[in-house]
Structure formats: C-alpha cells, structure tokens
Amino acid sequence: MQFFGGSDISPSPPAPTASGHNAHMMYMFNRNGVCLFYREWNRPLRTLNPQQDHKLMFGLLFSLKSLTAKMDPTSAEKGNLGVPQLPGQGCSFHSFRTNTYKLSFMESPSGIKIILVTHPRTGDLREALKYIYNLYVEYVAKNPVYAPGTPIKCELFNTNLDQYVRSIS
Amino acid sequence: MPAAAPRSGDAIFASVEHVNAELFTLTYGAIVRQLLTDLEEVDEVNKQLDQMGYNIGIRLIDEFLAKANVSRCVDFKETAETIAKVGFKMFLGVTASVTNWDADGTCCSIVLEDNPLVDFVELPDTCQGLYYCNVLSGVIRGALEMVSMKTEITWTRDVLRGDDAYELQVKLLKLVPEEYPYKDDE
C-alpha cells in the first residue's frame, strides 16, 4: 500500500539511522482533529505540507476505525458505514504494516490518539504507546501552563519522549 | 454488578504518590474561604467551584485512564461503578457506592460515606447555600465529558447541611457520538 503517493519508494526497508532512533515519526491528535503533537526523527520523504499531512493522517485513522468496527464479525449490530459511533461501541485497530514501515495506533477513551510510525520489523508496540500516554499525562496533562486542546510545547515531554523512543526495539 | 477492573482502586492508590491529607483539606478550605471573600455571593462561589472542578476533570480523565488501565466501559452503569470504586479510591482514597438507579439506567446516586475535603469544616450561618464540595461535581462532569458523556450532577445530600452522608446525583443527558471534525472535504 503506497501511503504517501508520488514518486516510487524503494521496496527495501530503511536502515536504522546513525542517531539510533528506531522510529520515523509520531503524531498525537485529540478528539476534535487538532494535531497536538508531531515529531519526526527519520523521515526521508515528505509529499504534503504539514496541515494536509495531519488532516490526511487523522482522516485515515478515523475511517479505519469506522471500517474495522463495521467489519467486526463478532459484534451483533452493524450500523451503516459512516454513521458516527457512540462511546463503548466498536473495536479498534492497533497497527498496520507495509513493506517499508509499520504504523501503530492507540486511542484512549478520552479521544487522545497516539500514532507511531516505525520500521516494519518492529514488534507489538501497544505497551510502548501506553507508556507514551503515561508520559503525556505526567508532562502535559499535569502541566498547569498547558491549555488542553492546543498543540503541545513542553520541553520535558519532548526530552523524555526522545529518550524513550530511542529504547524501543 | 461492579466492573471487573484489571487494577483495583486499592492497588493504584497504593502506587500513586500521596500528599498529606491535612494539607489537602486545609488547602481546599483556604481556596473556598478565598472565593467567598472575593465573590461574596454563595451562588457565584458554587459556580466557580464547579468550573474549577470541570477544568480539573478534563485533565484528570487522562491520568485516570493511564493509571487505572480499565477497559472501555460498555454502558453507563459500568461507568458509574468505575467512578465510585476505582476513581474515588485512586484520587481521594475513599470508596463510594452507587445506588438509586432509575428505570433506563441513566440516572444514579453516588454516595460517599466519608469525604476528605470536609474534615474540620463547619458551615457558618452566612453560607448556608454553599455546596462546599462542589468541586467534585465539576470534576466528574468534566471527566465524563471527555469520554463523550454529557451529564448533569447535583448534590442531594450534604453532611455540612445536616444530612448523614454525601450523595451526588449523576444524570446522563446524552452520549455524544464521535463525529468527523473537519467540515470541508478536499
């Protein structure tokens, strides 16, 4: 699946960079689609401007969530695709993988979505995403200077995040 | 039926860092005292406490979700049980109970036997209309709003006003479905 369209992307996965970061980039969104946080460590290809990129990412996740809930073979009721979901309904996907990258996703019930894009051989990152959510709580939610719903500009969060991401295998 | 929380309130309460209980109570008392001095009207103070609680609640929900590790609540009954058993225990160190469910399951009462906010407190005659713990109703309302539930929370029993326990009536007004936020398509 060619996610970022445009020029050809070579099929071999990129080697980990010299800085040792294992992740390519990370996004955080809230329920209203505001991109709270975006950080890249290793992203050779950029095809869209940042606003379009964020909107595209959010839209993709929203649609995927809706689709996975509707295709659930174990749930009894199935609304129409596109009908907004009530809280408590639906299952949620947690990752997808292509030949060049893996995208891991976590959404909290409060609507905070964390997306981590890494190299394709990464294992299950659900625990890592939970840890990042904990970092968010410690350095952002508890930060009195931070206004909820606005982009995150907390140095401590950035530093701790960088440090943690370096250690993800 | 209580929710089967993977981490019970006791375990989490033991693991979070504690603040001295008296310091907490006296600080809260000082806040209320100052609000009374600044705003003078008891109704204004009630509103302000609720607003402060709301601002706390919208951030508190993330801490709760991160630490409590509860799975998504399926319905409002489970939500209320989780608030009473896990939430109150985790943040205030007290367990509450849930009673008085109405027929549709949208309205219930959360009863607190003891309440750390009101130790040493007596309401003077000039403040009889004051809901001293109104910050708690704001916190619950704010937290539930962040998980897409619009609620209305009122105090039905208050020990400072002569009753035997603290009772909050929590009424679910509406479940807000998740809408796609961008209006234009491009």
Side-chain angles (χ1 to χ4, degrees):
Chain A
M1 177 170 107
Q2 292 262 356
F3 179 61
F4 295 106
S7 51
D8 287 335
I9 302 174
S10 90
S12 61
T17 60
S19 68
H21 274 122
N22 292 309
H24 292 287
M25 62 246 197
M26 183 177 127
Y27 298 78
M28 275 181 79
F29 292 98
N30 75 355
R31 172 168 279 129
N32 301 324
V34 175
C35 182
L36 299 175
F37 188 73
Y38 169 70
R39 198 158 181 84
E40 65 182 47
W41 295 283
N42 173 27
R43 185 175 183 173
L45 180 69
R46 255 173 239 103
T47 53
L48 302 166
N49 76 37
Q51 277 70 40
Q52 285 178 313
D53 185 51
H54 299 155
K55 245 177 144 166
L56 181 65
M57 178 60 85
F58 185 82
L60 165 81
L61 295 167
F62 192 85
S63 309
L64 265 177
K65 237 173 21 120
S66 188
L67 189 76
T68 51
K70 297 305 182 280
M71 279 185 68
D72 188 351
T74 62
S75 95
E77 34 139 289
K78 293 190 169 110
N80 295 319
L81 196 61
V83 170
Q85 294 182 336
L86 291 176
Q89 275 182 342
C91 54
S92 186
F93 82 100
H94 47 84
S95 63
F96 67 75
R97 197 198 308 254
T98 72
N99 56 331
T100 48
Y101 66 92
K102 178 177 183 182
L103 185 144
S104 306
F105 173 71
M106 183 195 96
E107 182 179 16
S108 79
S110 58
I112 302 291
K113 305 179 193 347
I114 306 182
I115 297 104
L116 199 57
V117 179
T118 54
H119 67 80
R121 285 186 304 266
T122 320
D124 187 6
L125 284 180
R126 272 181 285 184
E127 288 305 316
L129 289 172
K130 274 213 200 99
Y131 186 81
I132 295 177
Y133 186 49
N134 271 289
L135 286 181
Y136 164 81
V137 164
E138 281 306 304
Y139 296 109
V140 181
K142 289 191 183 176
N143 187 339
V145 184
Y146 170 71
T150 59
I152 297 172
K153 292 184 169 58
C154 307
E155 270 314 308
L156 274 178
F157 179 64
N158 294 348
T159 344
N160 279 278
L161 182 69
D162 282 345
Q163 216 171 6
Y164 179 67
V165 165
R166 212 165 294 169
S167 68
I168 300 178
S169 61
Chain B
M1 188 180 79
R7 294 185 67 189
S8 78
D10 296 307
I12 314 166
F13 183 62
S15 68
V16 296
E17 60 179 61
H18 295 191
V19 75
N20 179 300
E22 273 117 32
L23 177 63
F24 180 65
T25 309
L26 293 174
T27 307
Y28 184 69
I31 292 175
V32 178
R33 191 75 189 76
Q34 191 60 43
L35 282 173
L36 280 166
T37 315
D38 290 342
L39 300 171
E40 285 166 29
E41 285 285 312
V42 161
D43 288 321
E44 281 302 314
V45 176
N46 284 338
K47 259 199 283 198
Q48 186 70 335
L49 283 173
D50 185 78
Q51 185 57 37
M52 283 165 63
Y54 179 81
N55 292 334
I56 294 175
I58 61 180
R59 297 172 189 248
L60 193 109
I61 181 69
D62 281 315
E63 184 176 356
F64 176 74
L65 292 169
K67 299 218 166 108
N69 218 15
V70 287
S71 54
R72 210 174 268 258
C73 293
V74 174
D75 57 14
F76 189 60
K77 286 206 166 148
E78 209 177 317
T79 309
E81 287 291 338
T82 310
I83 296 175
K85 300 277 175 298
V86 187
F88 270 101
K89 185 70 193 166
M90 183 172 153
F91 290 106
L92 290 179
V94 295
T95 318
S97 52
V98 184
T99 54
N100 277 359
W101 280 105
D102 74 342
D104 333 306
T106 56
C107 186
C108 67
S109 292
I110 296 185
V111 180
L112 284 160
E113 291 299 329
D114 57 13
N115 184 344
L117 290 174
V118 300
D119 292 338
F120 325 126
V121 175
E122 254 176 44
L123 278 189
D125 297 321
T126 50
C127 304
Q128 283 306 313
L130 181 68
Y131 286 113
Y132 187 80
C133 310
N134 219 23
V135 79
L136 291 177
S137 66
V139 170
I140 299 178
R141 184 171 65 91
L144 286 177
E145 191 164 312
M146 294 308 280
V147 286
S148 311
M149 296 187 202
K150 277 216 160 17
T151 51
E152 190 185 309
I153 309 200
T154 44
W155 288 98
T156 45
R157 277 193 285 167
D158 190 334
V159 170
L160 295 176
R161 291 176 169 212
D163 302 308
D164 52 345
Y166 293 94
E167 184 174 326
L168 274 167
Q169 189 193 60
V170 182
K171 188 171 153 76
L172 176 68
L173 298 173
K174 176 168 144 150
L175 285 174
V176 182
E178 188 153 345
E179 298 267 346
Y180 188 66
Y182 302 122
K183 290 285 174 258
D184 47 306
D185 283 307
E186 45 168 57

